[in-house]
Amino acid sequence: MTSDIANYLYLDGTIVKEEIIGVGGAGIVVNQGGYAFKIPRISKLSEIDGVPVHDRILDHNEDNYNELAVAIMSFKHEKAIYKRLGDHPGIIRCYNVDSEEPSIQMPLMNGDLRQHLGEIRLKRSRQLFWLLQLARTMAFAHTKRVIICDFRLDNIVYDDDMNIRLIDFSESSLMHLEWDLKGCDKYGFSILTDIGQFGAVMFEIITGQHSSGGSDDLASTGNTSVNKRGMAGFYYREMLDQGICIGWGS
């Protein structure tokens, strides 16, 4: 059985030596100069069974150049979505949205909600505040004709003041501005799939447990077992009681 060691690379082929704070399907996020930089996820073997592999910069004739081309297209797509969404308190800011460079420069955040919820139990007031924030942000994205498609705790980050923001729109769909919010994109995603994913996020924030999607699952809160559908309904009613109007419309 062979043992391989790979390094992540910048576009010029040099090895990423900065702190890596996130790894996704198309990109990695590094801590660079006080900012979080998302760059294409390009890797290269550096060692096989303890034997160093000759290190050289990326060659356009190599197979991994195709990987690079796909990554660059993905970044252009994601930047177009950030540009459409603009500046919103519930969405991470992309500082270099007008740059042609395949990178996304963002403020450094403290972590994502999946990590945070694994370490601490939230007060109900904080849960409700975050759910309202997320619902409003999702509704805003829909008014901009963006389907989020990948709404999950890993893609929600928080800052020092415990404000949360959505990140990573690489899987999102940019619909025509004339879209009437009906139907779905070419992959089958719609505002209804976003709302369904939001329901799973709601369950995880309320219970601290990972949602498996089964309607009969029970969520244990203290010494009481509560049906998760009932808990979600309780929070939804409480949002309505506070006079919150989440309007999906034009």
Side-chain angles (χ1 to χ4, degrees):
M1 183 175 180
T2 60
S3 175
D4 300 340
I5 298 178
N7 291 313
Y8 290 115
L9 307 178
Y10 286 109
L11 293 182
D12 62 1
T14 57
I15 296 174
V16 174
K17 295 183 178 179
E18 288 83 359
E19 176 191 8
I20 297 174
I21 55 180
V23 178
I28 64 172
V29 182
V30 299
N31 183 345
Q32 189 179 95
Y35 293 95
F37 271 87
K38 182 178 178 181
I39 60 175
R41 180 180 173 178
I42 305 297
S43 60
K44 184 178 179 66
L45 283 175
S46 62
E47 187 176 298
I48 300 178
D49 288 339
V51 179
V53 176
H54 179 60
D55 188 25
R56 53 197 173 93
I57 64 173
L58 293 175
D59 189 321
H60 288 200
N61 294 321
E62 294 182 13
D63 290 339
N64 57 9
Y65 181 68
N66 293 327
E67 178 186 2
L68 174 61
V70 171
I72 290 175
M73 289 180 60
S74 173
F75 273 71
K76 286 183 177 179
H77 169 75
E78 188 170 3
K79 276 192 170 181
I81 290 178
Y82 276 114
K83 195 162 189 174
R84 171 80 66 83
L85 292 173
D87 192 13
H88 186 275
I91 296 170
I92 199 75
R93 185 175 179 183
C94 176
Y95 293 114
N96 61 343
V97 69
D98 292 319
S99 169
E100 293 295 324
E101 183 181 348
S103 68
I104 295 174
Q105 181 185 8
M106 304 169 285
L108 277 174
M109 304 294 278
N110 284 354
D112 64 64
L113 287 200
R114 187 170 303 285
Q115 173 194 23
H116 185 65
L117 292 177
E119 299 171 350
I120 192 170
R121 178 70 177 172
L122 298 175
K123 293 182 179 179
R124 198 180 80 177
S125 58
R126 173 62 61 182
Q127 293 174 349
L128 181 60
F129 177 74
W130 277 355
L131 291 174
L132 290 171
Q133 222 178 344
L134 289 172
R136 287 167 173 156
T137 302
M138 177 174 60
F140 170 78
H142 292 164
T143 65
K144 293 294 185 178
R145 289 357 187 215
V146 171
I147 304 175
I148 299 171
C149 301
D150 196 19
F151 204 149
R152 52 193 173 91
L153 291 181
D154 311 66
N155 290 336
I156 306 169
V157 292
Y158 63 95
D159 61 18
D160 290 335
D161 297 320
M162 301 307 292
N163 294 309
I164 56 175
R165 293 178 177 85
L166 295 184
I167 61 168
D168 193 354
F169 294 91
S170 59
E171 301 295 328
S172 301
S173 288
L174 193 65
M175 308 297 283
H176 292 295
L177 289 173
E178 298 79 18
W179 182 50
D180 62 1
L181 301 180
K182 298 177 182 178
C184 55
D185 67 5
K186 61 182 179 180
Y187 300 109
F189 290 97
S190 68
I191 66 170
L192 297 180
T193 56
D194 277 359
I195 294 171
Q197 290 177 356
F198 171 67
V201 167
M202 179 185 290
F203 168 73
E204 291 178 303
I205 288 177
I206 294 170
T207 67
Q209 299 182 24
H210 181 66
S211 172
S212 63
S215 61
D216 296 327
D217 290 346
L218 294 179
S220 176
T221 55
N223 295 323
T224 306
S225 291
V226 184
N227 183 276
K228 71 179 182 182
R229 182 178 293 176
M231 293 185 70
F234 168 78
Y235 272 76
Y236 181 69
R237 288 193 300 273
E238 188 160 345
M239 284 193 283
L240 293 180
D241 289 343
Q242 292 198 16
I244 302 301
C245 178
I246 306 169
W248 280 267
S250 56

